[in-house]
């Protein structure tokens, strides 16, 4: 009785840190190691304390002589406490002084039982005097003591010593080790210890199994958990319900349905246990995840037959499954049944159903469901509000906010007429906001809802409705109330600002977050970096990227995709490559978007070999190239006249099951238009229509621009390219699918034999575009203008400009530049200057192409001084003339005998990385050599170098 009482009183467990035991140790020593015999604690007798220390010591000696060691150890403990000795070693010294040899192991164990760990540790140190102990009972006792004190290093050291002397801990110490390892989440090390002890035939208590198996399952160590479970059953122990359910849940998380059903069956066969709703719900969720909805319904019915009623979790899982599998009507019926059973799903379930309703544009039902949620006493979270705001027309956000606040305040009918000061000041002219302000004030006064929830909802609503000023005021009010906006609220505000391209406000908000100690997450920087990339501000994107890393937020693949995409659009693929390599070096694996974006970038700048290399690297990484990737690669190859290779990839694309779509046909026809092969481009469009592939606005724009670009361009291609194009035509028409069975062979023919026919065909295409319900955009109009101007139909071009303005399309810099070029072509430079000035007056800032066009016009008209003035004006505005403009101006200076100006222009060209034309350099060399004795050989040698390769000293020498 005393022993059992002692075990009960000494059942407190302490944390332990323990290193993993190897399986090899178990195999080598477990079968031969004895177990410590100090497993049973000595009985404790409450002997009254003597009035004097000598009487206590005399009693101790008599008990030892009579062999009553348990009672002697209890008296020894009282000597330590009652006589107030410094530690247990003093009492041991008293015993040794009287000629006795104390049993240190049992004495230490006695102190551990009574919870006197420090005294036990001191006694161990006194007994061993710093030497290694070879007494199993002493080691066993001190290991348990150290485990409860949390001293991992010492406990492991003494356990190793026990193994060296070929013994193992007692079952009591073994139990303490397992519990401590579980408390420190050292579950695999606990399994290793289990194997070591099981080799000696020692198994832990039932409580250890019930603690260890669920923890192993939660960490995904199902193999080890199942081994312990089978061992537990084999030793005749009955697992707790938690053990069964943890195994079922673990197997279901991994999608391993069969072993989960085996454990579920064993649980039902256990006479002491019955599966509860949690076990059924876990299996139902697994069935649904695997798409076995019929099996899920069978379990649902079995659950009812056993007397268990499906709960909210059961119904919510099935409702969400039907929504995600586009079976919305079934989900709504099940939702109605849930309400009839008196159950109310959670906000997440309502959000999933609302998402499905909005996806099918059933907004009336979505609003009715929102009302029902409010009637059920549920308050939507900010995510629910964002969902509604994004799917409903603008203005509905205030309506949903009003309904929510009204539902919250419904419990108390007395409404004060005071207004929320922040809202009334910011939007006192809007009645809806004033009414919302009243309810918000009442809710805050009565503390009906957490203020942070209410204000987060309001901030999200104001952001979506464009009331950013009100949102900022609400954020200030929230902070002054001692709350902090959630990171999702900050992100939503950032998203709205990025959508409106208000990047200055984005910077201010990020600085505000930083000042408040709020660290953005991946979504925060994803919005910002994507917005900068879309605007082409790559420097700001990199700045935000570096800030993200400095704050310890690891960039995800979507952020890298945004930067790579921006660099490729800007024609900087080399930097995009570096970012791509940095992504891989940082442990972020590229996705299909990253590969396709970089591949498309290579194709656009004419590096098809690199694009092909990346294409196969993408396949090696396990990605299936998309139709977009194939189209980009084929487009890049045709751009570089690599028609055979392009057709090879087109054939591979067809074999992979991708049929050419509108995008591919449009890209192919555009490339052939650029090469001056309008007939082949139009043949492809004809084939596209015969295959019942509808052209889009981009296709029409490409046709108009391509035709007009080829006005006055006839038979300029060299014979090798002409032969390659004819071969490409045969290969393409053999590969491209033809849906019409009786399609007659399309013969190679000239669609446009004259300029008038080309213009007429382009105008007809514009008419077809309008007949198909599509409105020509600025790109289409500019393409048509280019054709009219190239055909010297300037008045028709102006009539077209008037028409485009009537339909609401405003001319841009490209429009003005096309008209300027037309007047320059016919020698009307003054009219071109008027257009240039008119462009400035209409707040259209001239771009680099407009400046270059006017510079070439001045040179053609012999007005070189005005051309030089325009260069200076251009440079003041941050532009640099193109190489063609420099060459034209240098040629004009040479013809006008302006040698000094020609030398300065040459120096300026070299400083900008441009190398003049060889013919021009030759003329300038002769002129400079005759005037100044400059070596023509030096000038010609420098002129043959690649752009940008000259050093500053070399450029000065060339200029001299």
């Amino acid at each position: 009785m005393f022993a059992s009482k002692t075990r009960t009183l000494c059942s407190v467990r302490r944390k332990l840190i323990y290193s993993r035991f190897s399986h090899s140790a178990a195999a080598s020593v477990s079968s031969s190691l004895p177990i410590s015999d100090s497993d049973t604690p000595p009985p404790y007798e409450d002997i009254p304390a003597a009035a004097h220390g000598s009487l206590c010591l005399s009693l101790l000696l008599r008990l030892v002589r009579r062999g009553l060691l348990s009672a002697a150890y209890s008296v020894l403990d009282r000597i330590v406490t009652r006589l107030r000795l410094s530690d247990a070693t003093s009492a041991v010294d008293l015993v040794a002084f009287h000629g006795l040899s104390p049993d240190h192991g049992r004495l230490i164990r006695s102190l551990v039982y009574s919870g006197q760990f420090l005294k036990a540790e001191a006694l161990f140190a006194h007994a061993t005097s710093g030497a290694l102990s070879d007494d199993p009972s002493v080691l066993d006792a001190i290991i348990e003591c150290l485990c409860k004190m949390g001293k991992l290093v010492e406990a492991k050291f003494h356990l190793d010593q026990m193994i060296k002397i070929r013994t193992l801990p007692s079952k009591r110490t073994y139990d303490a080790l397992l519990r401590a390892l579980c408390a420190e989440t050292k579950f695999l090390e606990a399994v290793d210890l289990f194997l070591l002890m099981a080799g000696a035939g020692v198994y832990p208590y039932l409580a250890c199994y019930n603690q260890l198996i669920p923890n192993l399952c939660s960490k995904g160590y199902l193999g080890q958990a199942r081994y312990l479970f089978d061992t537990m059953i084999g030793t005749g122990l009955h697992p707790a319900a938690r053990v069964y359910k943890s195994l079922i849940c673990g197997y279901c998380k991994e999608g391993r349905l069969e072993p989960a059903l085996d454990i579920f069956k064993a649980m039902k066969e256990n006479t002491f246990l019955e599966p509860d709703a949690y076990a059924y719900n876990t299996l139902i969720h697994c069935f649904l995840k695997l798409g076995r909805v019929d099996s899920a319904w069978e379990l649902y019915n079995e659950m009812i037959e056993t007397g268990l009623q499906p709960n909210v979790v059961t119904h919510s899982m099935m409702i969400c499954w039907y929504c995600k599998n586009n079976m919305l009507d079934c989900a709504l019926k099940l939702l109605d049944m849930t309400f009839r059973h008196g159950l109310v799903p959670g906000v997440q379930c309502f959000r999933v159903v609302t998402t499905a309703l909005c996806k099918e544009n059933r907004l009336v039902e979505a609003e009715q469901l929102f009302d029902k949620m409010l009637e059920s006493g549920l308050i939507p979270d900010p995510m629910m509000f964002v969902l509604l705001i994004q799917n409903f027309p603008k203005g509905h956000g205030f309506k949903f906010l009003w309904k929510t606040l009204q539902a919250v305040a419904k419990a108390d009918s007395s409404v004060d007429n005071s207004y929320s000061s922040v809202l009334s000041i910011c939007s006192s002219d809007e009645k809806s906001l004033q009414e919302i302000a009243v309810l918000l004030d009442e809710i805050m006064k009565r503390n009906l809802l957490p203020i942070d929830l209410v204000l987060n909802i309001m901030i999200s609503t104001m952001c979506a409705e464009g009331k950013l000023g009100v949102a900022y005021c609400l954020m200030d009010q929230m902070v002054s109330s001692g709350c902090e906006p959630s990171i999702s609220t900050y992100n939503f505000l950032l998203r709205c600002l990025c959508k409106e391209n208000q990047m200055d406000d984005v910077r201010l908000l990020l600085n505000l977050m930083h000042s408040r100690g709020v660290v953005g997450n991946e979504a925060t920087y994803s919005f910002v970096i994507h917005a900068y990339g879309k605007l082409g501000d790559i420097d700001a994107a990199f700045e935000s990227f570096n800030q993200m890393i400095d704050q310890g937020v690891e960039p995800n693949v979507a952020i890298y995709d945004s930067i790579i995409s921006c660099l490729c659009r800007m024609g900087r693929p080399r930097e995009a490559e570096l970012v791509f390599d940095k992504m891989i070096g940082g442990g972020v694996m590229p996705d299909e978007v990253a590969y396709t974006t970089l591949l498309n970038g290579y194709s656009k700048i004419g590096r098809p070999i690199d694009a092909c290399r990346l294409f196969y690297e993408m396949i090696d990484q396990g990605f299936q190239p998309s139709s977009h990737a194939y189209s980009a690669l084929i487009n890049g190859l045709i751009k570089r006249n690599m028609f055979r290779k392009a057709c090879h990839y087109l054939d591979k694309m067809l074999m992979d099951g991708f049929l050419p779509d509108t995008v591919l046909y449009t890209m192919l026809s555009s490339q052939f238009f650029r090469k001056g092969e309008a007939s082949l481009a139009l043949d492809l469009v004809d084939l596209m229509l015969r295959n019942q592939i509808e052209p889009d606005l981009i296709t029409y724009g490409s046709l108009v621009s391509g035709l007009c670009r080829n006005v006055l361009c006839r038979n300029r291609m060299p014979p090798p390219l002409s032969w390659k194009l004819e071969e490409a035509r045969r290969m393409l028409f053999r590969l491209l699918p033809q849906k019409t069975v009786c399609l007659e062979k399309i013969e190679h023919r000239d669609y446009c034999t004259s300029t008038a026919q080309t213009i007429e065909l382009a105008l007809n295409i514009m008419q077809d575009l309008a007949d198909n319900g599509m409105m020509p955009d600025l790109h289409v109009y500019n393409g048509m203008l280019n054709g009219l101007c190239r055909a010297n139909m300037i008045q028709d071009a102006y009539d077209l400009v008037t028409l485009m303005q009537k339909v609401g399309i405003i001319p841009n810099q490209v429009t003005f530049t096309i008209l300027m070029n037309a007047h320059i072509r016919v020698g009307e430079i003054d009219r071109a200057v008027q257009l240039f000035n008119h462009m400035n007056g209409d707040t259209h800032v001239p771009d680099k192409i407009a400046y270059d066009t006017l510079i070439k016009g001045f040179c053609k008209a012999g007005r070189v001084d005005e051309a030089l003035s325009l260069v200076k004006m251009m440079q003041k505005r941050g532009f640099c003339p193109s190489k063609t403009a420099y060459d034209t101006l240098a040629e004009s200076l040479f013809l006008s005998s302006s040698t000094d100006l020609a030398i300065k222009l040459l120096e300026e060209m070299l400083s900008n990385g441009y190398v003049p034309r060889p013919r021009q350099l030759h003329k300038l060399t002769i002129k400079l050599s005759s005037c100044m004795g400059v070596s023509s050989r030096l000038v010609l040698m420098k002129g043959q170098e690649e752009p940008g390769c000259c050093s500053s000293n070399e450029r000065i020498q060339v200029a001299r």
Side-chain angles (χ1 to χ4, degrees):
M1 180 184 69
F2 289 123
S4 63
K5 182 177 179 181
T6 305
R7 290 191 183 95
T8 302
L9 293 176
C10 299
S11 63
V12 178
R13 298 293 184 258
R14 299 282 190 251
K15 288 186 176 180
L16 166 69
I17 303 173
Y18 187 74
S19 65
R20 182 176 299 182
F21 303 92
S22 64
H23 291 284
S24 59
S28 61
V29 302
S30 60
S31 59
S32 59
L33 297 185
I35 306 300
S36 175
D37 59 357
S38 59
D39 195 28
T40 305
Y44 181 83
E45 292 187 311
D46 190 10
I47 303 174
H52 194 271
S54 59
L55 295 178
C56 292
L57 184 59
S58 175
L59 176 61
L60 174 63
L61 295 175
R62 287 198 301 272
L63 290 172
V64 171
R65 292 191 186 99
R66 294 173 60 185
L68 301 176
L69 295 179
S70 298
Y73 297 137
S74 299
V75 173
L76 177 62
D77 181 58
R78 290 187 176 275
I79 291 175
V80 173
T81 55
R82 297 293 180 87
L83 299 184
R84 298 181 179 178
L85 298 175
S86 60
D87 53 32
T89 57
S90 301
V92 173
D93 291 339
L94 287 176
V95 175
F97 178 78
H98 286 79
L100 297 177
S101 178
D103 186 345
H104 291 95
R106 300 190 70 180
L107 291 174
I108 294 171
R109 176 71 67 183
S110 176
L111 293 172
V112 173
Y113 288 160
S114 61
Q116 302 180 64
F117 305 128
L118 292 176
K119 294 178 180 179
E121 187 179 21
L123 179 57
F124 173 79
H126 176 79
T128 57
S129 300
L132 293 177
S133 175
D134 56 358
D135 188 341
S137 63
V138 171
L139 292 173
D140 186 74
I142 195 60
I143 289 172
E144 182 183 359
C145 177
L146 293 172
C147 286
K148 294 182 177 182
M149 295 177 71
K151 296 187 176 182
L152 170 65
V153 178
E154 291 93 334
K156 182 181 182 299
F157 175 79
H158 294 303
L159 182 61
D160 291 342
Q161 181 64 17
M162 285 194 77
I163 295 174
K164 286 181 181 179
I165 63 175
R166 307 188 67 77
T167 187
L168 289 176
S170 65
K171 191 170 182 177
R172 180 184 179 89
T173 302
Y174 172 34
D175 183 73
L177 281 168
L178 286 180
R179 289 178 178 275
L181 287 170
C182 289
E184 293 293 324
T185 68
K186 307 288 186 180
F187 305 121
L188 290 180
E189 296 176 15
V191 172
D192 291 338
L193 179 61
F194 177 89
L195 294 173
L196 182 69
M197 297 296 289
V202 179
Y203 299 97
Y205 299 113
L206 176 63
C208 288
Y209 284 106
N210 291 336
Q211 183 181 12
L212 184 56
I213 293 176
N215 283 313
L216 287 169
C217 292
S218 67
K219 296 298 182 181
Y221 305 129
L222 293 177
Q224 293 88 336
R226 184 60 185 268
Y227 171 76
L228 292 180
F229 178 82
D230 293 338
T231 303
M232 186 180 186
I233 299 293
T235 55
L237 298 176
H238 297 288
R242 183 185 174 213
V243 173
Y244 284 104
K245 291 189 287 187
S246 62
L247 278 168
I248 293 171
C249 183
Y251 283 125
C252 288
K253 282 183 179 179
E254 294 187 357
R256 299 168 61 184
L257 189 57
E258 295 304 322
L261 290 174
D262 291 340
I263 299 295
F264 185 71
K265 181 181 178 182
M267 186 178 186
K268 291 194 292 186
E269 292 174 352
N270 192 325
T271 57
F272 301 99
L273 295 173
E274 290 184 359
D276 58 3
Y278 177 86
Y280 275 101
N281 286 341
T282 303
L283 281 172
I284 289 174
H285 180 264
C286 186
F287 277 127
L288 293 174
K289 186 170 66 173
L290 298 175
R292 297 172 57 177
V293 66
D294 293 336
S295 300
W297 277 110
E298 289 177 6
L299 267 183
Y300 180 93
N301 295 327
E302 178 185 318
M303 189 176 179
I304 296 175
E305 291 173 0
T306 58
L308 286 173
Q309 288 299 321
N311 56 20
V312 172
V313 177
T314 316
H315 287 270
S316 297
M317 288 190 303
M318 303 188 80
I319 291 169
C320 293
W321 185 87
Y322 280 117
C323 289
K324 292 176 182 177
N325 287 273
N326 300 319
M327 302 172 69
L328 180 56
D329 292 328
C330 294
L332 292 174
K333 290 179 181 178
L334 187 55
L335 181 62
D336 186 59
M337 186 176 72
T338 304
F339 283 117
R340 289 201 306 269
H341 282 78
L343 302 173
V344 179
V347 174
Q348 182 182 2
C349 182
F350 278 103
R351 187 168 63 240
V352 172
V353 180
T354 304
T355 302
L357 287 169
C358 293
K359 186 178 179 180
E360 295 189 6
N361 204 28
R362 297 163 65 172
L363 300 182
V364 175
E365 295 174 78
E367 186 172 357
Q368 292 173 351
L369 184 63
F370 179 79
D371 294 339
K372 191 157 190 172
M373 181 178 65
L374 294 177
E375 292 172 2
S376 302
L378 294 176
I379 302 301
D381 56 9
M383 292 179 63
M384 181 80 167
F385 254 89
V386 170
L387 169 67
L388 292 168
I389 291 167
Q390 290 177 339
N391 286 279
F392 277 78
K394 195 168 184 178
H396 276 68
F398 293 131
K399 182 179 180 181
F400 289 123
L401 182 59
W402 166 256
K403 286 183 177 182
T404 302
L405 298 181
Q406 198 174 37
V408 172
K410 190 176 180 180
D412 193 343
S413 58
S414 59
V415 177
D416 192 1
N417 291 325
S418 62
Y419 292 86
S420 172
S421 58
V422 174
L423 288 179
S424 60
I425 291 172
C426 294
S427 302
S428 58
D429 58 333
E430 298 186 19
K431 183 179 179 181
S432 59
L433 286 181
Q434 292 177 357
E435 293 174 345
I436 291 172
V438 173
L439 287 177
L440 175 62
D441 195 51
E442 287 297 308
I443 290 170
M444 292 172 61
K445 286 180 179 179
R446 299 171 191 160
N447 198 23
L448 298 176
L449 269 183
I451 185 174
D452 55 345
L453 174 62
V454 177
L455 289 175
N456 275 312
I457 290 174
M458 294 197 67
I459 293 170
S460 300
T461 306
M462 297 304 163
C463 291
E465 295 297 335
K467 304 294 181 183
L468 298 180
V470 180
Y472 278 120
C473 291
L474 286 170
M475 289 181 69
D476 292 338
Q477 182 180 4
M478 190 172 184
V479 173
S480 64
S481 301
C483 302
E484 185 65 41
S486 64
I487 189 64
S488 61
T489 301
Y490 278 116
N491 288 345
F492 191 70
L493 181 53
L494 282 170
R495 183 178 180 181
C496 293
L497 292 172
C498 291
K499 188 177 180 180
E500 298 294 330
N501 293 332
Q502 299 182 21
M503 304 312 295
D504 291 336
D505 292 333
V506 168
R507 292 188 182 92
L508 292 175
L509 183 57
L510 288 174
N511 292 334
L512 178 64
M513 291 172 62
H514 182 70
S515 65
R516 292 175 177 172
V518 179
V519 178
N521 56 15
E522 289 181 354
T524 308
Y525 290 99
S526 180
F527 293 142
V528 176
I529 293 174
H530 181 73
Y532 281 127
K534 189 176 178 181
L535 294 172
D537 192 351
I538 190 63
D539 294 332
F542 273 121
E543 182 181 352
S544 297
F545 182 83
N546 293 330
Q547 288 177 355
M548 176 183 186
I549 295 176
D550 292 341
Q551 292 192 4
V553 181
E554 294 294 330
N556 56 20
V557 67
I559 293 175
Y560 281 108
D561 288 346
S562 297
I563 295 177
I564 292 171
S565 178
C566 179
L567 289 170
C568 289
R569 284 198 307 271
M570 297 175 67
R572 296 160 65 177
R574 179 56 186 162
E575 295 174 68
E577 282 180 307
L578 296 176
V579 174
F580 188 85
D581 295 338
K582 183 177 182 179
M583 172 172 58
I584 297 176
V588 180
M589 293 306 298
D591 58 0
E592 183 183 348
V593 175
Y595 277 107
T596 305
T597 302
L598 190 55
L599 187 152
N600 192 34
Y602 284 141
S603 298
K604 284 184 176 180
I605 63 169
R607 292 171 58 182
I609 302 302
D610 291 327
C612 293
R613 172 187 57 78
L614 194 66
F615 180 86
Y616 284 108
E617 182 181 324
M618 178 181 179
I619 295 176
D620 292 339
Q621 292 298 325
F623 293 103
Q624 171 64 44
S626 63
S627 175
H628 178 58
Y630 273 112
S631 298
L633 182 58
I634 293 169
N635 182 60
L637 291 167
I638 290 180
K639 184 177 183 179
R640 300 293 292 178
N641 300 327
M642 302 172 68
F643 302 114
R644 288 179 179 272
K645 207 169 188 64
C647 289
H648 165 73
Y649 284 103
L650 177 59
D651 190 27
K652 181 176 175 59
M653 175 181 176
L654 297 172
M655 291 178 62
D656 284 348
F658 295 109
L659 291 177
D661 55 5
T662 304
V663 175
L664 181 58
Y665 275 106
T666 302
M667 294 172 77
L668 290 174
S669 61
S670 297
Q671 285 297 339
F672 290 120
F673 273 127
R674 289 189 180 94
K675 297 180 186 304
E677 188 62 26
S679 297
L680 177 53
L682 292 171
D683 282 343
L684 284 172
V685 176
D686 192 4
L687 183 61
M688 171 183 174
L689 295 174
R690 289 171 183 262
N691 283 284
Q692 302 173 15
I693 299 176
E694 294 295 330
D696 58 10
L697 184 59
I698 298 176
T699 308
Y700 281 109
S702 174
L703 282 172
V704 173
S705 299
L707 284 169
C708 293
R709 189 187 300 115
N710 282 276
V711 171
L712 303 179
C713 296
R714 294 287 182 267
N715 300 323
R716 293 183 178 179
M717 67 183 69
L721 179 57
S722 178
W723 178 81
K724 279 188 175 184
L725 287 169
E726 181 58 30
E727 183 186 21
R729 180 183 182 279
R730 293 196 300 268
M731 295 173 69
L732 286 172
F733 278 77
R734 186 182 71 252
L735 290 173
L736 291 174
Q738 300 174 1
K739 293 184 179 179
T740 307
V741 178
C742 300
L743 177 65
E744 61 184 10
K745 185 177 180 181
I746 301 177
E747 297 180 356
H748 185 42
R749 57 193 184 276
D750 289 330
Y751 291 84
C752 309
T753 57
S754 66
T755 297
Q757 288 179 339
T758 303
I759 295 296
E760 183 180 0
L761 180 57
L763 290 171
N764 290 336
I765 290 173
M766 285 190 68
Q767 185 61 45
D768 290 341
L769 188 152
D771 293 342
N772 289 326
M774 287 180 277
M775 176 66 69
D777 59 5
L778 183 59
H779 173 68
V780 176
Y781 277 107
N782 283 339
M784 192 69 241
L785 279 173
N786 185 40
L788 292 171
C789 290
R790 291 174 71 88
N792 292 330
M793 301 169 65
I794 299 179
Q795 186 56 49
D796 293 320
Y798 277 103
D799 292 340
L800 187 62
V801 171
T802 303
L803 176 62
M804 64 185 280
Q805 289 176 324
K806 285 182 179 180
V807 298
I809 298 178
I810 307 301
N812 64 352
Q813 293 95 331
V814 177
T815 311
F816 283 99
T817 304
I818 291 172
L819 293 172
M820 286 166 53
N821 210 5
H823 287 290
I824 291 171
R825 194 179 293 114
V826 297
E828 298 176 351
I829 183 62
D830 292 330
R831 184 72 179 113
V833 173
Q834 290 177 4
L835 286 169
F836 185 85
N837 294 331
H838 184 60
M839 178 168 46
N840 270 324
D842 284 354
T843 67
H844 291 292
V845 179
D847 57 6
K848 181 177 178 178
I849 298 176
Y851 278 107
D852 287 343
T853 301
L854 193 55
I855 289 171
K856 288 183 283 187
F858 279 132
C859 292
K860 184 177 180 180
R863 296 158 63 171
V864 183
D865 292 339
E866 292 174 83
L868 288 172
S869 298
L870 193 62
V871 169
K872 298 300 181 184
M873 181 192 300
M874 186 177 182
Q875 292 171 341
K876 286 180 180 179
R877 295 193 176 183
F879 295 112
C880 175
S882 65
K883 182 179 183 299
T884 304
Y886 268 123
D887 286 335
T888 304
L889 185 55
E891 186 75 20
S892 299
L893 288 171
F894 175 77
L895 293 174
S896 63
S897 300
S898 301
T899 307
D900 294 337
L901 292 176
I903 294 174
K904 292 180 180 179
L905 190 67
L906 176 62
E907 182 180 6
E908 187 176 314
M909 286 183 68
L910 292 171
S911 66
N912 288 317
Y914 295 136
V915 176
R917 298 170 185 168
R919 180 174 61 88
Q920 188 180 26
L921 272 175
H922 180 68
K923 292 181 179 179
L924 288 173
T925 301
I926 296 174
K927 186 73 175 176
L928 293 173
S929 298
S930 62
C931 297
M932 306 171 66
V934 177
S935 171
S936 60
R937 182 181 177 185
L938 175 61
V939 177
L940 286 174
M941 180 181 67
K942 298 304 177 184
Q944 291 171 356
E945 294 183 357
E946 293 294 329
C949 64
C950 299
S951 67
S952 58
N953 292 332
E954 290 171 336
R955 289 169 184 157
I956 294 173
Q957 189 175 7
V958 171
R960 291 175 180 173

